[in-house]
Amino acid sequence: MTARGATLNRNRLPRWVNAGIDAIADAPMSPLGRLAARRMGKPAPRGSVPETRFEPRGRRVLITPVNYSGQATAWARALEASAPDLSARSAAVDVPGGFSFPANTVIPVGTYHNDPEWQRRQFEAAAGATHVLIEAEEPPFGRMLGRSVETQARALRDRGVAVAFMAHGTDVRLPSRHLRGNPWSHYGDSEIYAPRYEALAARNIALLERFGAPVFVSTPDLLLDLPDATWCPVVVDPERWDVRDDSGRGARLRVAHAPSVGAVKGTELILPLLERLEAEGVIAVNLVRGVPSARMPEVFAAADVVIDQLRIGSYGVAACEAMAAGAVVVGHVSETVRGLVAERTGRELPIVEATPDSLEGVLRELAAAQDLGPQVAEGRDFVREVHDGRRSARALLDHWIDDRPDGGPRASDR
């Protein structure tokens, strides 16, 4: 049942080995960097991967290149629903072994890294957009222009494109900041190589400050690392997740937990407790692993409670999906993040607070509750109000797409 051991633990490597690994990653155009890129695979047959194409509308927006949890596609759809004169498209690299999410343009990883012809075509297509939103500070066009996201972004700007950035999490979350005041931080876990994340986050934050374009964050906790950014909430489709059969609860509280990355979610900290409560007959546990995204609505709908994460101090797509599916979500969300959510939405975040120390009491209390209906309704209402795409589209329109004379957002709207 362990979530560890699947990847290399860099904390166990000598310092000189880690330095070498980082040096290769930081020099993608060096001989070793080129060799590493070739190991990503051969490009698809020439011309078989299309470039992004827009509808002939006055404003054309491209969101690229990662589409984490399908968010680029969700934001694009939300924009088109909110602005009929706008054509929005997502383009994402298809990473082998990852979870598959639909995008308007799906780029095989070998093509993204090793096909200069596709890279040029995609750049020309993006240069025909009016706006390009670059996700996670990753280069939209693979190894073109030295695989530098800054150089690629400036090339777009030189062609008259309005560029903005979307930070997703690890790309800008500073471990040194996160560890302060958070005893459960995953950056303190021996499985997480925090020095590398610190260096990458610091570098990306410096890039965003230097470039001077609008910056958005997908989760509210990232405002602590990027206080001048704008929160663009993650999006879920409430109708897709509303598949619950509300015929009633069973004898035991049905608890689901999806340890996508166990060290980050806190899985190892709570597994003994979950096993003990299950042995006592208090709960029935479903550890969700390897389930395709298409089946997750029925998985969450079959649970009374979904334990999200207990280490990050925030919430994201999975918590919103679980609330939309009619489960009570339990997780650790810091008081600061809860305050940010309340300040910007006017609503309290309906995630039941728990840490590894308090989780047992929380689960026993929920198991003893006669009716979880009010909490379920509150979660569903919150998702429909905050995470159905309308607020996200409004954030992108107000703070970027709709031109402003001063070129930036109003300080009072951040």
Side-chain angles (χ1 to χ4, degrees):
M1 296 177 74
T2 180
R4 299 186 178 186
T7 58
L8 176 69
N9 186 339
R10 292 188 60 186
N11 286 312
R12 297 174 183 169
L13 298 177
R15 181 177 297 179
W16 65 269
V17 174
N18 281 320
I21 294 172
D22 292 343
I24 294 172
D26 292 338
M29 306 310 290
S30 68
L32 286 176
R34 293 174 188 274
L35 178 62
R38 284 199 291 272
R39 294 189 64 185
M40 297 290 182
K42 295 182 179 179
R46 188 180 182 89
S48 64
V49 180
E51 68 276 14
T52 295
R53 292 163 188 164
F54 300 93
E55 293 294 324
R57 296 176 187 164
R59 296 183 292 181
R60 300 168 300 282
V61 181
L62 174 62
I63 307 176
T64 188
V66 297
N67 195 35
Y68 291 148
S69 298
Q71 288 305 295
T73 301
W75 288 320
R77 290 173 178 168
L79 281 170
E80 288 196 336
S82 297
D85 67 329
L86 185 151
S87 175
R89 295 291 182 266
S90 60
V93 181
D94 184 20
V95 179
F99 291 98
S100 178
F101 295 97
N104 298 114
T105 305
V106 177
I107 310 123
V109 66
T111 296
Y112 171 77
H113 285 286
N114 298 317
D115 187 347
E117 189 270 339
W118 174 84
Q119 293 163 5
R120 288 191 293 269
R121 278 193 290 115
Q122 181 66 358
F123 173 78
E124 289 301 323
T130 56
H131 299 76
V132 172
L133 181 63
I134 298 175
E135 300 178 277
E137 300 78 55
E138 290 290 336
F141 316 113
R143 294 167 61 77
M144 182 181 181
L145 298 174
R147 205 184 180 280
S148 165
V149 62
E150 182 170 6
T151 304
Q152 292 181 14
R154 293 196 183 281
L156 287 173
R157 180 181 275 180
D158 290 344
R159 294 285 291 269
V161 178
V163 174
F165 292 89
M166 174 69 74
H168 274 284
T170 301
D171 51 313
V172 296
R173 186 182 290 117
L174 286 165
S176 57
R177 193 274 307 163
H178 198 262
L179 282 162
R180 291 195 298 270
N182 183 359
W184 306 111
S185 174
H186 57 292
Y187 292 115
D189 193 286
S190 61
E191 300 295 315
I192 304 294
Y193 186 57
R196 180 60 178 170
Y197 290 119
E198 181 81 18
L200 290 175
R203 182 185 309 167
N204 286 333
I205 290 172
L207 161 65
L208 297 176
E209 292 174 346
R210 182 170 64 245
F211 198 87
V215 177
F216 299 89
V217 295
S218 60
T219 56
D221 61 301
L222 298 179
L223 294 171
L224 303 178
D225 296 289
L226 295 169
D228 291 330
T230 299
W231 179 29
C232 177
V234 297
V235 175
V236 302
D237 178 0
E239 302 304 323
R240 178 187 173 224
W241 293 88
D242 190 8
V243 299
R244 190 177 189 86
D245 177 8
D246 289 320
S247 57
R249 287 174 50 185
R252 294 190 293 175
L253 187 74
R254 298 168 297 179
V255 176
H257 175 61
S260 52
V261 183
V264 175
K265 290 270 189 173
T267 304
E268 294 294 329
L269 300 177
I270 64 173
L271 271 180
L273 167 65
L274 298 181
E275 292 169 348
R276 177 163 55 83
L277 291 180
E278 186 169 48
E280 291 181 23
V282 177
I283 64 175
V285 179
N286 179 17
L287 290 180
V288 184
R289 290 192 176 99
V291 177
S293 173
R295 286 193 51 222
M296 287 304 294
E298 63 188 79
V299 171
F300 282 162
D304 301 308
V305 169
V306 170
I307 301 174
D308 183 30
Q309 58 72 37
L310 297 154
R311 307 194 79 166
I312 298 176
S314 189
Y315 77 106
V317 176
C320 294
E321 291 172 342
M323 285 189 283
V328 175
V329 175
V330 174
H332 169 48
V333 182
S334 73
E335 291 184 9
T336 301
V337 172
R338 289 180 183 273
L340 287 169
V341 172
E343 175 188 330
R344 282 157 175 74
T345 69
R347 300 183 61 118
E348 298 296 323
L349 178 65
I351 292 178
V352 179
E353 177 61 25
T355 67
D357 282 347
S358 65
L359 181 61
E360 178 173 1
V362 169
L363 291 178
R364 288 188 183 277
E365 183 176 341
L366 291 171
Q370 295 296 314
D371 182 15
L372 297 178
Q375 289 164 286
V376 168
E378 188 180 5
R380 281 177 164 161
D381 288 346
F382 182 84
V383 170
R384 289 184 180 276
E385 173 65 26
V386 179
H387 293 284
D388 71 346
R390 290 173 296 168
R391 284 179 181 264
S392 310
R394 195 75 263 154
L396 294 170
L397 289 166
D398 287 352
H399 296 274
W400 175 42
I401 296 172
D402 289 341
D403 290 339
R404 290 185 51 77
D406 60 1
R410 296 180 295 270
S412 60
D413 289 341
R414 287 178 180 146

